[in-house]
Amino acid sequence: MNLEYTEDQVLFRDGAERFLSAEYGAGARARSTGAEDGVDPANRSAFAELGLFALTVPERLGGLGFGPLELAMVLECCGRHRVVEPIAETAIAARALATAFDAPAAQRWLPPILSGEIHATVALLSNADIAEAGDADIVSGAVPLTRGAPGAGLVVLLADTGEGERRAFAVTPGTEGVSVSAKRLLDESRGAMLTLERARIPSENGSLAADSVDQLLDELTLASCWKALGAMRAASGQTARYVQEREQFGRPLARFQAVEHMIAAQSVACEEAEAAALLAALSMDLGPSSRIRAVSAAKNKIGRASDVVAKNAVQAHGGMGVCDELPIAGYFRDLAAFRAMDGSARHLDRYERDVLGSGCFRESAILGTDAP
Amino acid sequence: MNLRLDESQRAFRAEVRDFIAENLPEESRRGQSLLTGVYPEPAISVPWHRKLAGKGWLAPMWPKEFGGTGWTGFERFIFENECALAGAPYVFPLGLRLVGPVIFTFGTQAQKDRFLPRILTDEDYWCQGFSEPGAGSDLASLTTRAVPDGDDYVVNGSKIWQTHAHHANMMFTLVRTGSGDGPKQAGISFLLIPLDTPGVEVRPIVSIGGDHDVNQVFLSDVRVPKSNLVGEVGKGWDYAKFLLRFERAGGFAAARLRASLKRIGRVLESRMAAGIEIHPDARRRIAEVAIDVDVFEMLELKILGPLAAGEDPGPISSILKLRTSQLKQDVAEAGHLALGEDGAIWPTEVESESDALPGDYLNSRAATIFGGAREVQLGLIAREAFRR
């Protein structure tokens, strides 16, 4: 057991933080929110240059060879700076290519992602209908709301046939039979529902063990949890400062006990969210049951904790909290999107089934059953 | 950064498991499993206390020179998890976790030599004399007075909410020794009072759950040697704040919360085996509480794991205290929910684990009141946020 970040981890995280502080202001962000599909190509190139999309790709495929924790740490910075581009989605899509596809396919698709030429995303296609047809597969099914899908140069579909086996498909824009219904999300990023009707996908696709599909999806959830944590810390810090400056009834708001307790609730929520995020990140390599338990716990817990932070942040800012002028409203929307997306209810269901139902909630979450 | 046990940690865990399997008395395990109050009776905890003392494992939170174990924070975490999950009773913490650190940090050599070994050997069973009828959350307004007279102090006043004072032979107290000028936190001293001194009277208080855990203690012309005053005269408030940080963050509470969840798990199992359906709302609430305990386990490990034995955890202890107390209530409430309509029954005798759940639920309401009420903790947490 060791709870200290390595020097490399801190260096990389601090590099990302410095870049975002210096370069990712309101103007840079607006270039992406104003773009048709929510991603400004110059921003994307800058993120690629920083190495964000290569973070968790193995070195032999041109990546940096880090793991889910390092990606998560960068996402916390992204949450603080309200990064609107699909960083985690692209990084996990790259990782999926590296783990699920044969080397020629991975080597074909990875370079444009790692160079920032395209962005990518990863999505679950459940109850997929797959038929082989010569050098292609004919795939039908529906993909739920997926961030980063509009304009993506590549969507990695993790298809669940409902019979245990999982397949991965690389879908490119314009593939016949794929319709994309793009939406603007509360955090101003773009997402889309995908419908596949007898889509013809060249059979260069990968085949995966069911658990590696779940692992990839859990890595995405983990990244979104850390991004939410960054937004929570920022909103909470800004609120604590604001109530010390703002005076009403002749004294700072911070002097009112009701306000004090709102600030305290935010602090507690942030500490718990950080612990949940850390437990999930450090459980990724402890085996499937620890990972499932910790990721579902994190998604649920950070969902509840972010609600406490977001609502108190807006309330403590009074009228200014409900104006678009301050970042507080933005953080509120970011966290609302986080809670709505990525199966909050599904994670509580999964925890209830796999952790409560199996009885392993009676054991320590850290010293638990399948820790080596 | 990782949560994998290394080889020596795995060996340590196995050693602890073996020791517990061979030494945990069955009456102690059973007594703990039927617990409704905050702490088990001495008849349940003391036999286990003695086993641990015999092994040298009683005071992992003390520095080694005073009888600590020299374990790392991670080893303390493993040890407390193994003990709690095996159903070992909670060792009464008032001597070990509360007054012990004050004595080894601020006491004279003579006080260390006298009192620390007697905590370990169980010769002294301590209770805490802080609150008074007129001084609860506003502890500094206490009025019990100690007046110097020759080699003694003469103490008059009354203390309230003394857990297990009816079992204890020693009480650490805050008493007023100053003139009363200046801020009310000044002029308070930390005094150790033997309860067999003439003039001490202990009266029981029955709790919301029907148990006798706490008492009121009356002090009438009680003569206490001046050598029983810890540290400097008038500095008692500082020592009390130090002690409260240990009370709030002195151990791995998640392990004890987990043990309570485990009890609920066994009750659920026996109810289902008897064909009783668990309402989906109750299951969902239990799942959420289990998630909270998982997360709290990590939070505690993150904060306490890196600390050396006896090291002051600092202001973050308020967050741990707040969450420990709320989770104690949430877990107890989840247990009560698990009983469905049977939760309305108040068992006259606690003979099974499910009998213990209603009393546990009722008594758990005290958790956000003692040791600094929830509202006091929230104030401390907010002030810390404003400092950043």
Side-chain angles (χ1 to χ4, degrees):
Chain A
M1 275 190 215
N2 172 3
L3 293 180
E4 294 196 28
Y5 291 109
T6 65
E7 210 171 304
D8 280 357
Q9 289 171 333
V10 172
L11 273 175
F12 195 85
R13 194 250 333 262
D14 291 354
E17 174 61 35
R18 264 197 310 279
F19 169 81
L20 292 171
S21 295
E23 310 289 338
Y24 196 78
R29 187 176 190 276
R31 284 203 303 273
S32 276
T33 57
E36 166 81 26
D37 48 29
V39 181
D40 173 65
N43 288 358
R44 189 169 58 211
S45 299
F47 291 130
E49 204 167 311
L50 207 58
L52 301 193
F53 305 139
L55 249 176
T56 58
V57 172
E59 282 165 295
R60 66 183 159 81
L61 291 169
L64 298 175
F66 281 119
L69 175 61
E70 290 80 4
L71 178 62
M73 291 167 69
V74 170
L75 262 293
E76 186 185 357
C77 305
C78 291
R80 188 178 308 126
H81 293 278
R82 302 199 60 224
V83 172
V84 72
E85 294 82 357
I87 306 288
E89 289 76 8
T90 303
I92 306 270
R95 186 168 168 84
L97 287 168
T99 55
F101 287 74
D102 60 18
Q107 275 154 3
R108 188 164 56 254
W109 285 118
L110 278 170
I113 294 177
L114 302 188
S115 70
E117 196 184 313
I118 60 169
H119 65 270
T121 191
V122 55
L124 179 67
L125 180 73
S126 45
N127 298 318
D129 186 26
I130 305 167
E132 276 177 42
D135 59 350
D137 288 293
I138 308 295
V139 184
S140 297
V143 172
L145 184 62
T146 298
R147 186 183 275 111
L154 188 76
V155 178
V156 177
L157 286 182
L158 303 170
D160 173 0
T161 58
E163 287 153 17
E165 200 217 357
R166 316 285 171 111
R167 298 274 298 276
F169 296 101
V171 178
T172 48
T175 301
E176 206 180 319
V178 179
S179 59
V180 177
S181 158
K183 308 283 179 195
R184 185 173 73 141
L185 307 187
L186 288 179
D187 61 8
E188 295 161 273
S189 71
R190 303 297 200 279
M193 280 78 82
L194 267 57
T195 310
L196 282 78
E197 272 181 68
R198 300 190 53 74
R200 188 180 169 83
I201 304 172
S203 48
E204 60 199 355
N205 43 63
S207 179
L208 288 166
D211 188 61
S212 26
V213 169
D214 294 343
Q215 164 108 21
L216 287 165
L217 294 172
D218 280 345
E219 284 182 18
L220 195 56
T221 303
L222 176 75
S224 73
C225 284
W226 280 72
K227 192 175 181 194
L229 175 64
M232 288 171 67
R233 283 263 181 227
S236 173
Q238 286 179 18
T239 308
R241 283 191 293 279
Y242 179 80
V243 298
Q244 290 175 87
E245 287 156 14
R246 169 77 174 165
E247 292 194 6
Q248 288 289 276
F249 303 102
R251 53 185 167 144
L253 292 181
R255 296 275 193 75
F256 293 87
Q257 194 185 32
V259 175
E260 253 188 14
H261 290 190
M262 289 159 68
I263 298 298
Q266 289 189 324
S267 289
V268 174
C270 286
E271 290 296 328
E272 288 198 281
E274 189 179 325
L278 200 57
L279 178 63
L282 300 180
S283 297
M284 296 307 282
D285 64 352
L286 294 184
S289 72
S290 293
R291 186 197 76 228
I292 286 169
R293 176 178 182 174
V295 170
S296 286
K299 176 67 178 154
N300 175 266
K301 181 72 198 184
I302 298 173
R304 285 184 279 145
S306 67
D307 191 57
V308 170
V309 168
K311 285 176 180 165
N312 280 321
V314 167
Q315 183 68 24
H317 278 80
M320 292 309 292
V322 286
C323 295
D324 198 33
E325 189 182 323
L326 293 186
I328 288 300
Y331 287 126
F332 187 93
R333 293 193 299 261
D334 294 353
L335 293 171
F338 164 72
R339 281 194 301 282
M341 275 188 88
D342 195 25
S344 296
R346 181 168 64 81
H347 280 285
L348 185 53
D349 285 344
R350 187 170 77 159
Y351 188 95
E352 200 180 310
R353 186 184 64 235
D354 291 6
V355 185
L356 200 65
S358 73
C360 70
F361 74 105
R362 301 183 195 183
E363 300 299 325
S364 157
I366 293 168
L367 303 169
T369 44
D370 57 8
Chain B
M1 211 188 243
N2 71 77
L3 292 175
R4 291 184 300 273
L5 299 188
D6 64 28
E7 205 164 309
S8 83
Q9 288 166 336
R10 277 201 300 275
F12 174 75
R13 187 185 192 184
E15 188 189 356
V16 173
R17 277 193 177 171
D18 290 346
F19 176 79
I20 296 170
E22 281 164 32
N23 290 282
L24 176 61
E26 175 52 24
E27 300 83 59
S28 292
R29 195 203 55 77
R30 183 177 147 76
Q32 177 68 31
S33 77
L34 301 180
L35 182 68
T36 56
V38 179
Y39 299 112
E41 293 289 288
I44 293 162
S45 67
V46 168
W48 179 236
H49 176 117
R50 290 185 181 149
K51 292 281 188 189
L52 289 173
K55 179 75 175 169
W57 283 1
L58 182 62
M61 69 300 283
W62 289 14
K64 201 156 186 207
E65 52 176 317
F66 302 119
T69 52
W71 291 338
T72 64
F74 295 124
E75 286 166 335
R76 293 199 299 276
F77 170 75
I78 292 169
F79 174 75
E80 294 204 33
N81 263 285
E82 292 300 329
C83 288
L85 293 182
Y90 312 150
V91 172
F92 195 62
L94 279 273
L96 277 167
R97 291 191 201 277
L98 302 193
V99 77
V102 171
I103 291 172
F104 67 62
T105 307
F106 303 108
T108 61
Q109 193 57 45
Q111 287 168 342
K112 290 178 201 171
D113 292 345
R114 175 172 171 76
F115 292 114
L116 296 178
R118 292 171 63 89
I119 292 173
L120 300 178
T121 57
D122 180 51
E123 280 162 275
D124 286 343
Y125 195 98
W126 286 86
C127 67
Q128 178 177 38
F130 279 12
S131 296
E132 296 181 2
S137 287
D138 183 14
L139 183 58
S141 62
L142 58 91
T143 58
T144 294
R145 178 162 288 281
V147 178
D149 182 30
D151 290 338
D152 296 336
Y153 284 106
V154 177
V155 185
N156 278 288
S158 106
K159 294 289 179 180
I160 195 165
W161 314 125
Q162 280 64 56
T163 303
H164 286 197
H166 54 303
H167 300 307
N169 65 321
M170 291 294 298
M171 177 167 75
F172 55 89
T173 58
L174 292 178
V175 293
R176 198 158 284 287
T177 45
S179 59
D181 301 339
K184 60 188 177 181
Q185 286 84 358
I188 291 174
S189 295
F190 196 100
L191 189 66
L192 312 176
I193 302 181
L195 291 179
D196 60 0
T197 314
V200 176
E201 191 200 342
V202 177
R203 282 188 212 159
I205 298 172
V206 176
S207 73
I208 186 172
D211 298 278
H212 173 204
D213 277 334
V214 296
N215 303 274
Q216 187 166 2
V217 176
F218 296 88
L219 303 162
S220 314
D221 292 328
V222 176
R223 296 191 80 85
V224 182
K226 281 182 172 168
S227 59
N228 276 16
L229 188 136
V230 178
E232 289 177 47
V233 177
K235 287 277 178 71
W237 187 251
D238 293 340
Y239 308 147
K241 282 197 295 188
F242 173 87
L243 177 148
L244 286 168
R245 288 198 292 273
F246 279 89
E247 178 169 5
R248 288 162 191 168
F252 292 94
R256 300 198 290 279
L257 293 165
R258 180 77 58 199
S260 299
L261 274 178
K262 202 170 171 177
R263 175 164 80 173
I264 295 168
R266 289 191 296 263
V267 169
L268 285 174
E269 209 170 67
S270 68
R271 287 178 70 79
M272 288 187 294
I276 303 166
E277 207 169 306
I278 311 299
H279 194 278
D281 289 354
R283 285 183 60 83
R284 181 133 288 218
R285 180 64 192 139
I286 294 166
E288 266 186 350
V289 172
I291 287 172
D292 287 345
V293 173
D294 286 2
V295 170
F296 189 65
E297 191 181 342
M298 185 70 226
L299 179 62
E300 240 183 8
L301 182 64
K302 185 164 86 73
I303 292 167
L304 302 180
L307 295 186
E311 192 177 338
D312 184 344
I316 192 105
S317 61
S318 283
I319 290 184
L320 295 184
K321 153 70 181 167
L322 178 77
R323 287 305 292 150
T324 302
S325 61
Q326 291 173 327
L327 284 168
K328 164 81 191 147
Q329 295 177 338
D330 291 347
V331 169
E333 193 171 353
H336 189 236
L337 262 178
L339 296 180
E341 278 204 337
D342 294 344
I345 300 168
W346 196 353
T348 42
E349 289 291 330
V350 175
E351 283 160 351
S352 70
E353 292 188 308
S354 83
D355 290 344
L357 297 180
D360 187 43
Y361 168 56
L362 296 171
N363 287 325
S364 73
R365 300 320 301 174
T368 48
I369 298 166
F370 63 65
R374 175 180 63 203
E375 289 67 27
V376 173
Q377 305 306 329
L378 288 169
L380 292 169
I381 294 164
R383 255 158 275 157
E384 190 55 26
F386 294 144
R387 260 194 287 276
R388 278 202 290 262

